Amino acid sequence: MSAERPAAASRRDVLLGIAGTIGVALGSSQPTLAAEGLAGKVDPYQDAQKGFKILKPSGWNEFSASENFDVKWQDIINPVEQITVITTPVTKGKTVADIGTSEEVAAKLSKSRSMEVVGSSSKENQGIMTYVVEMKSKSVHQITVLAINRSKLYTVNITCPEVSK
């Protein structure tokens, strides 16, 4: 009788796993790599000045701040696969609920990006409300995570090719 080994995580699974760790990253604790099945596929990244931590894919190209993002990681093999982090100052005391429900935010984002909403959700982690919006087009699949903490809107966009079924 042979023991079954778990299937290796695909590149898409790694990207989706990173999305699941972002809410924790705004708080004080570091996401657990082993629990997410990402050990060896991601490295911790911290921008103390901007106030966030995130897991970044190992071996991807890193781009420093531009007018469109604070930091960006892009896959060397498939440049459509990328993660961007954007921080934007907001009025003190503002929360993501002040910009709408997760469904309303999803509708606004999908319209501005010419994409279809796959789903949206909200969850609170360590006192920080986080919205997760999943969208797709014919060519790409994107997850956008939004949270406001310490008068900053944190937006993380995770993009990968859309897989035809």
Side-chain angles (χ1 to χ4, degrees):
M1 192 156 110
S2 64
E4 285 188 36
R5 290 189 331 201
S10 71
R11 298 160 68 77
R12 184 184 183 100
D13 292 338
V14 170
L15 288 174
L16 296 176
I18 289 170
T21 67
I22 292 165
V24 174
L26 293 171
S28 59
S29 62
Q30 182 67 33
T32 305
L33 301 180
E36 299 295 332
L38 302 176
K41 296 177 178 82
V42 294
D43 298 311
Y45 176 89
Q46 180 174 352
D47 186 328
Q49 186 177 28
K50 295 286 185 172
F52 69 90
K53 300 174 195 174
I54 189 170
L55 298 175
K56 64 177 187 134
S58 299
W60 282 24
N61 288 327
E62 182 176 323
F63 299 90
S64 298
S66 80
E67 65 181 54
N68 297 323
F69 54 81
D70 291 303
V71 65
K72 173 181 170 179
W73 295 280
Q74 188 172 35
D75 186 26
I76 296 167
I77 298 165
N78 187 347
V80 173
E81 293 182 356
Q82 56 184 281
I83 298 172
T84 58
V85 179
I86 304 161
T87 58
T88 310
V90 295
T91 308
K92 187 175 184 176
K94 192 169 188 171
T95 69
V96 288
D98 295 328
I99 58 177
T101 64
S102 64
E103 294 83 6
E104 292 167 340
V105 170
K108 290 176 196 173
L109 284 173
S110 67
K111 184 177 180 181
S112 70
R113 298 175 186 183
S114 300
M115 298 179 88
E116 172 189 337
V117 175
V118 174
S120 67
S121 63
S122 62
K123 68 177 182 176
E124 188 172 328
N125 189 356
Q126 300 179 16
I128 301 167
M129 181 59 68
T130 304
Y131 288 172
V132 178
V133 177
E134 186 174 358
M135 300 169 285
K136 69 177 183 175
S137 69
K138 289 182 179 181
S139 59
V140 299
H141 201 101
Q142 187 173 74
I143 295 176
T144 298
V145 181
L146 301 113
I148 294 178
N149 189 30
R150 297 184 182 136
S151 301
K152 288 184 186 172
L153 169 62
Y154 295 89
T155 305
V156 179
N157 295 299
I158 301 168
T159 307
C160 62
E162 177 60 27
V163 178
S164 300
K165 293 183 179 184

